[in-house]
Amino acid sequence: MPNSNHGVLVSDVHKSFGDVHALQGISFEAKPGTVLGVLGPNGAGKTTMVKVLSTLLTPDSGEAFVAGHNVVTEAAQVRRSIMMTGQYAALDDILTGRQNLELFGRLSGLGKKAARQQADDLINAFDIKAAADRMVGTYSGGMRRRIDIACGLVVRPDVVFLDEPTTGLDPRSRQTVWALVEGLKNEGITVLLTTQYLEEADILSDNIIVIDKGTVIASGTAAELKERTGESYCEVVLLVPGDREAAVAALGELMPAALATDEDAPDRISIPAPDGAGTLAEAVGRLHKAEIRLADIALRRPSLDDVFLSITGHGSIS
């Protein structure tokens, strides 16, 4: 069945390796020109899923379409429609950045002149002119990531798979890659982003799926997933940890009994904030009246870290 309205469409896909059931009926979709964040703990099935979508593995059952093409019956068309980049840049270190780009262009079927022109265009677009004629082996991690993504765009793809693209990068380089991802989306390219940085998924993704044990266990926007975890809360940071008992007493009914005895962080108290800023103001007033000194007090919403831990019961992702 044609699926031109979907960048990626996955329906009840299964994949096993002997007794290991890597994918157990996984289903999701990503519309053209959007970023889909893919989260999941170690061994959840994320890598297997990407390999199926990129035609490196054949599913045991179910259907998957990429850029409107069936990954099994139209594998060649899928390969012409995608770009993949992992956490380790697949570049030739003894060639310059420009030479790598031209090489990828020729391998993608461009003529010599067209490959050279495309390399020049990408060098300008990715702001790598100053380093374009240096050997890639001399590049920083952030520069290698930029040239790696640029190489994948020598021939414009419809769908891009980014597998932990900012792993090991410094904050400035990470920001650069984030800008590149936004640029891909603005060009109408569908991006599947697997990441170990929940902040990254929060910032970049239009929608997020959480995978565990080979199936999608949650999906939605970052805001929708956070809403599932709970309401906003007020976080109180005490200047003197020894004041915790007095602070709990001062907060009174604002502090649920179940949380009053939680002393994992003796200098911090978290209370539900159903009235938002009203709860915050009430807490400030009560603590001030009791002369409890504060290092900080703020209204916070659940983070994606909270969502991930709540949904999966795991504290880490890959």
Side-chain angles (χ1 to χ4, degrees):
M1 57 180 177
N3 291 281
S4 57
N5 292 329
H6 299 87
V8 176
L9 179 63
V10 179
S11 177
D12 196 29
V13 167
H14 292 251
K15 182 65 182 179
S16 297
F17 304 94
D19 294 332
V20 178
H21 304 296
L23 301 178
Q24 303 187 64
I26 194 167
S27 300
F28 65 89
E29 66 178 85
K31 295 186 180 300
T34 63
V35 178
L36 178 68
V38 182
L39 308 178
N42 293 320
K46 301 188 303 299
T47 299
T48 301
M49 178 198 74
V50 170
K51 287 184 176 180
V52 167
L53 293 176
S54 57
T55 76
L56 296 175
L57 288 174
T58 302
D60 298 332
S61 62
E63 291 186 304
F65 298 83
V66 174
H69 303 296
N70 188 296
V71 299
V72 175
T73 62
E74 301 174 288
Q77 292 96 316
V78 170
R79 294 183 193 120
R80 286 195 291 268
S81 302
I82 65 174
M83 183 270 272
M84 294 182 66
T85 184
Q87 53 186 292
Y88 304 107
L91 303 169
D92 190 325
D93 284 355
I94 65 172
L95 298 180
T96 66
R98 187 187 304 276
Q99 289 169 335
N100 269 280
L101 286 165
E102 291 181 6
L103 175 62
F104 272 75
R106 297 303 301 275
L107 291 174
S108 299
L110 298 181
K112 190 172 183 179
K113 183 177 180 181
R116 186 179 299 118
Q117 181 60 55
Q118 184 69 326
D120 288 340
D121 291 344
L122 289 167
I123 286 167
N124 290 327
F126 281 71
D127 193 24
I128 50 181
K129 191 171 183 178
D133 296 308
R134 292 195 345 243
M135 287 193 302
V136 167
T138 68
Y139 283 13
S140 66
M143 187 63 71
R144 288 178 65 90
R145 180 64 65 238
R146 264 195 265 181
I147 197 75
D148 185 40
I149 295 175
C151 284
L153 300 176
V154 167
V155 176
R156 185 188 183 281
D158 294 309
V159 178
V160 171
F161 299 104
L162 297 180
D163 182 18
E164 300 185 15
T166 62
T167 295
L169 298 186
D170 60 75
R172 182 176 180 181
S173 297
R174 190 174 300 146
Q175 292 277 352
T176 298
V177 174
W178 289 358
L180 296 180
V181 174
E182 285 290 342
L184 295 176
K185 183 175 79 169
N186 292 339
E187 290 186 26
I189 295 172
T190 305
V191 180
L192 258 69
L193 172 71
T194 64
T195 177
Q196 62 177 313
Y197 300 116
L198 295 178
E199 176 196 11
E200 187 165 85
D202 199 349
I203 291 172
L204 297 178
S205 302
D206 296 290
N207 285 286
I208 294 170
I209 60 173
V210 181
I211 298 175
D212 197 15
K213 298 178 182 177
T215 190
V216 174
I217 60 172
S219 64
T221 65
E224 289 168 344
L225 292 176
K226 291 174 185 178
E227 188 68 26
R228 286 183 50 172
T229 304
E231 299 174 332
S232 298
Y233 63 96
C234 182
E235 184 178 60
V236 179
V237 182
L238 303 172
L239 187 62
V240 180
D243 288 343
R244 190 181 196 283
E245 186 175 342
V248 169
L251 290 168
E253 75 279 3
L254 295 179
M255 186 78 183
L259 299 178
T261 57
D262 182 4
E263 298 188 17
D264 288 343
D267 65 333
R268 294 174 185 268
I269 300 172
S270 295
I271 60 174
D275 296 327
T279 303
L280 175 65
E282 179 68 19
V284 169
R286 293 187 182 199
L287 293 168
H288 178 72
K289 185 176 180 180
E291 299 184 347
I292 304 297
R293 292 176 295 172
L294 304 180
D296 189 24
I297 184 168
L299 191 65
R300 306 197 189 284
R301 296 192 63 196
S303 67
L304 269 188
D305 298 79
D306 299 323
V307 172
F308 187 84
L309 185 59
S310 172
I311 292 173
T312 68
H314 297 274
S316 62
I317 65 176
S318 64

